[in-house]
Amino acid sequence: MAILEKIRSNAGLMVGFVGLALAAFVLGDALQSGNSWFSANQRVVLSVDGEEINIEDYERRLQVISEQMQQQSGGQLSDEQRMTANNALAQQITAEHILGKLASEVGISVTADEVYALLTGNGVTPAPQAQQFFAAFGVDIKDSKAVAELIKQLSDESIQAMPAEQQQGMRSIQAQWNSLQESLQTSRLQQKIHTLLARSYKVTKLDQELAQGDGARTVALVRSTPMAGTDKADTPSDEAIKKYYDSHPDFFRSQEPSVDMSYVAVQVTPSAEDYKAAEKTASEAFAELQAATSENVGDVVRNHNGQYREVFFTGSELDQLGLGAGEVEFLKTATPGAAHNSGLVSDKYNLVKLVAKKSATESLGLRMIVLDSVMSAKADSLVTAIKGGANFEELVGKYSQDPTSKANGGRLSQQGQYGIPMDSFSEAQLAGSPFADAYQKAVGEPFVIDNGGIKIIVQSVDAKPAVDKYQFALVNVDASFSEKTYNGKYDALNRILGAGGKFADMMAKAEKEGFTVVKSTTVSTSVPTLGYIPSSRSLVSWALRAEEGDITDKVYRVGNDYLIIASANKHYAAGQMPLSQVREQIVARLSAEKRAENLVSKLSQKPLASLEAYATELNVTVDTLVGVDYMVRGSEAAAFNGKAMTTPLGKLSAPFVAGVEVMVLQPVAKDGAAPAAGLEAQAKQNEQATAYQIASRVFGNAVQRAKIEDNRARFY
């Protein structure tokens, strides 16, 4: 029953174990979506090659991912985060289908026994996600009996036998368990396919010899990327743009329907009157904060929705609380009882009061013995034994029921900055927790925490030297817009919309009002926001569902402070995107290439006879690369390798274009011949890199060939 108790005590726990990214394949933008506006089945949210996912199943899986993200972020998800989860799920479903299809074609499968082995470590190294899942409930994955008990408690039969009030929490944990199994099955399948694809490519000795050519060289190099300018000579012609578009159809192919739209936006900001009101409120609150005493400061702060806890922070913790530099400096130097007003900074007044200051132990280490309901009766006798000199670590090994801390002699640890484990806790970190009493006890004095049937014996160790600690109160007064200001902006935009007519006329009126006008932008099913405007997915969804030429029938309030009206201009079906939609992208590419060509032409006409002279002309420095051969590597384009290996040693090359860079180089030495072992290692590395590329391309091509119908805009 110990496992069941741990489950019940953690019923709301969400474990982030689902791998949303598929490691063996680079999805990137490979996932696209199709057009099914006229689908007969209005409950289908996504279809891949005819395999339909209805909204109920999709929502169930999305809920699991969203809950995990929410648990990890520690708060409610934003619209953008929810759409990120949505896109991740669509990618995951598509990847699962494509992987399954590829596996079926080549006769690869993943058995239930394989998945179970990855979950439990039965004969293989258990998956890290599985270890994390079990550890969240205090179960050591090496304890096969405890693992089996936990799995049993997550079955439908066991959950149905539980009290009704426990079933909802257990269903949530069960959903995560099922999602973990699906994730591991997909990961295992992709590993098998990747291995098979890797074996399809082999670097032969002849390939390696040709790649090595005349050995490797040390090459001195000057390089520059010409900056964009206004020179008309760099602008490609319409014919060049069309030619590039026609000759690179795969560059501009999409399975995702999109819509070109226009919109008018206004961000509501405080008026001069609003700023005066905020200044008055801040002055009144500051006067109250100055007069407050340690006895009533909590009431004063609460009246102004401020922040105050009777907690002492170290100086280093003050630096990490997100306070302004001025506020931190004040707290570290002020006399207790003093207050500080930051003045208006980023539309906010920060009012801070140093309530108290003391010198005390910076942090403590903690170790514990966790006793379940069966062993808890021994708590008092164990405390007596510890006070009498019994070895704490030996008692941990004999009695503690927590495998994580038990493996470390009972020592508690936490994830510190940059993921580095920390085994010391400050007073502020323990405040509000059952372990806070450690700061009220003498170092080394054991005490007992009663946690609903489970008892924990705690002992502090390794007290760090005393430092200054600060207790403070904080009140923030925002200079926010008033209802009057908001209504004024809303009425102005609503008058433009209410006047009717063409949206082009509305945009012209809006520009005169000083509103933001975007005449053309393209959005698609996976786009989380409209431009830079937060929480604007509702407008994207509206545009995807609207008919061409439709104008919003109301002023949308987006987020807290944006008002928007919009028009849907033109829908684009899946397939090759029209030239008008990708023209700017092509122009940017061709212009960069043209600028590089023009710079090469100009440099070639100048009497520059050394790399240093070219470096001075281009305002760059000379670089030196070692081990250059015919194998393309790093950020250099293939043209660099060819020029580096064909230019005679000691000679200066002419300026040339490599990608969108302009280069001049000089081979300065021939490197010594690599040992045979080195050549073999390089060949193996090349094999692995190429195999990865092949696997990615196979998967990307399979996605491109799939018929994907994405109806998510219908629901989200």
Side-chain angles (χ1 to χ4, degrees), residues 77-136:
L77 299 183
S78 66
D79 288 349
E80 289 77 14
Q81 289 173 315
R82 282 191 288 270
M83 200 61 208
T84 296
N86 196 325
N87 288 337
L89 177 57
Q91 289 187 1
Q92 190 174 359
I93 290 172
T94 302
E96 290 169 356
H97 171 83
I98 299 301
L99 285 171
K101 185 177 181 180
L102 291 175
S104 176
E105 291 176 354
V106 297
I108 291 177
S109 64
V110 176
T111 67
D113 288 341
E114 288 180 82
V115 175
Y116 189 79
L118 291 170
L119 287 167
T120 62
N122 185 16
V124 299
T125 301
Q129 307 100 304
Q131 295 183 63
Q132 181 183 358
F133 180 87
F134 288 116

Side-chain angles (χ1 to χ4, degrees), residues 232-478:
K232 291 185 177 180
D234 297 340
T235 304
S237 65
D238 290 341
E239 291 77 11
I241 295 170
K242 183 66 165 58
K243 181 179 179 181
Y244 187 90
Y245 174 77
D246 291 338
S247 59
H248 298 82
D250 289 340
F251 286 10
F252 311 111
R253 190 179 304 281
S254 171
Q255 290 175 313
E256 184 173 274
S258 58
V259 59
D260 179 81
M261 62 182 296
S262 306
Y263 65 90
V264 173
V266 56
Q267 184 178 17
V268 185
T269 56
S271 65
E273 186 178 343
D274 295 331
Y275 281 117
K276 288 183 178 180
E279 182 180 13
K280 180 181 178 182
T281 301
S283 297
E284 293 172 350
F286 185 63
E288 292 183 42
L289 195 61
Q290 282 182 307
T293 65
S294 57
E295 288 75 23
N296 71 349
V297 66
D299 294 332
V300 171
V301 170
R302 279 190 292 273
N303 290 339
H304 293 282
N305 296 317
Q307 304 171 40
Y308 174 67
R309 293 187 300 152
E310 296 182 19
V311 176
F312 282 86
F313 296 90
T314 65
S316 60
E317 286 176 328
L318 287 181
D319 295 335
Q320 299 171 15
L321 288 177
L323 300 171
E327 286 74 42
V328 172
E329 179 65 21
F330 164 77
L331 290 172
K332 290 182 177 180
T333 58
T335 302
H340 170 73
N341 184 346
S342 68
L344 186 65
V345 178
S346 300
D347 283 351
K348 179 183 294 185
Y349 292 90
N350 296 316
L351 317 177
V352 63
K353 182 183 183 73
L354 179 61
V355 179
K357 179 179 179 180
K358 69 179 182 180
S359 179
T361 299
E362 180 181 10
S363 63
L364 295 170
L366 298 176
R367 54 187 183 182
M368 66 179 184
I369 302 173
V370 180
L371 305 174
D372 61 18
S373 57
V374 176
M375 301 294 293
S376 61
K378 296 182 177 291
D380 292 339
S381 61
L382 290 176
V383 168
T384 300
I386 294 168
K387 289 181 177 179
N391 186 292
F392 195 96
E393 291 190 16
E394 290 181 2
L395 296 178
V396 168
K398 187 174 181 180
Y399 296 104
S400 185
Q401 303 298 303
D402 178 61
T404 303
S405 60
K406 186 176 182 177
N408 194 28
R411 191 72 180 245
L412 273 73
S413 63
Q414 61 177 333
Q415 283 291 102
Q417 193 174 19
Y418 310 118
I420 300 174
M422 306 290 288
D423 59 4
S424 192
F425 300 83
S426 72
E427 185 176 355
Q429 288 172 327
L430 296 182
S433 76
F435 295 98
D437 285 347
Y439 274 90
Q440 310 305 319
K441 307 286 185 180
V443 176
E445 179 185 353
F447 62 96
V448 177
I449 297 173
D450 193 335
N451 188 27
I454 296 176
K455 290 189 177 182
I456 306 172
I457 300 173
V458 182
Q459 182 186 53
S460 60
V461 293
D462 301 336
K464 290 191 176 181
V467 296
D468 287 336
K469 296 184 179 182
Y470 312 87
Q471 185 186 73
F472 69 95
L474 176 67
V475 173
N476 299 126
V477 177
D478 292 321

Side-chain angles (χ1 to χ4, degrees), residues 520-687:
S520 178
T521 186
T522 303
V523 295
S524 62
T525 303
S526 59
V527 172
T529 62
L530 187 59
Y532 59 88
I533 302 173
S535 303
S536 54
R537 173 67 190 181
S538 57
L539 269 300
V540 174
S541 297
W542 171 85
L544 289 167
R545 295 192 303 265
E547 298 291 335
E548 292 184 1
D550 280 357
I551 299 172
T552 51
D553 59 358
K554 65 177 182 179
V555 175
Y556 278 75
R557 181 170 185 172
V558 173
N560 183 55
D561 53 358
Y562 275 93
L563 299 170
I564 306 177
I565 58 175
S567 171
N569 301 327
K570 185 174 180 59
H571 285 284
Y572 297 105
Q576 187 169 4
M577 292 178 282
L579 177 58
S580 60
Q581 198 175 0
V582 298
R583 181 182 177 86
E584 291 185 9
Q585 176 184 341
I586 297 174
V587 168
R589 172 72 188 187
L590 296 183
S591 294
E593 293 177 353
K594 193 68 173 177
R595 286 194 299 273
E597 293 170 1
N598 291 340
L599 179 56
V600 164
S601 178
K602 293 176 183 177
L603 290 174
S604 299
Q605 298 173 18
K606 295 188 176 185
L608 303 175
S610 68
L611 280 180
E612 289 72 18
Y614 279 107
T616 300
E617 178 70 21
L618 295 172
N619 194 28
V620 296
T621 58
V622 178
D623 194 10
T624 301
L625 301 180
V626 178
V628 177
D629 55 26
Y630 281 106
M631 298 299 295
V632 178
R633 63 180 188 179
S635 60
E636 291 79 32
F640 162 77
N641 298 79
K643 188 71 70 172
M645 296 304 293
T646 56
T647 301
L649 285 173
K651 298 295 183 179
L652 192 67
S653 76
F656 63 95
V657 176
V660 294
E661 286 186 298
V662 171
M663 296 184 178
V664 182
L665 59 79
Q666 184 177 32
V668 295
K670 183 175 180 179
D671 297 345
L679 292 177
E680 290 177 5
Q682 183 177 357
K684 188 64 177 177
Q685 185 177 9
N686 292 338
E687 282 181 2

Side-chain angles (χ1 to χ4, degrees), residues 22 25 27 95 98-99 102 694-703:
L22 297 175
F25 299 107
L27 283 179
I98 299 301
L99 285 171
L102 291 175
I694 290 173
S696 299
R697 290 172 183 173
V698 168
F699 185 78
N701 289 337
V703 171

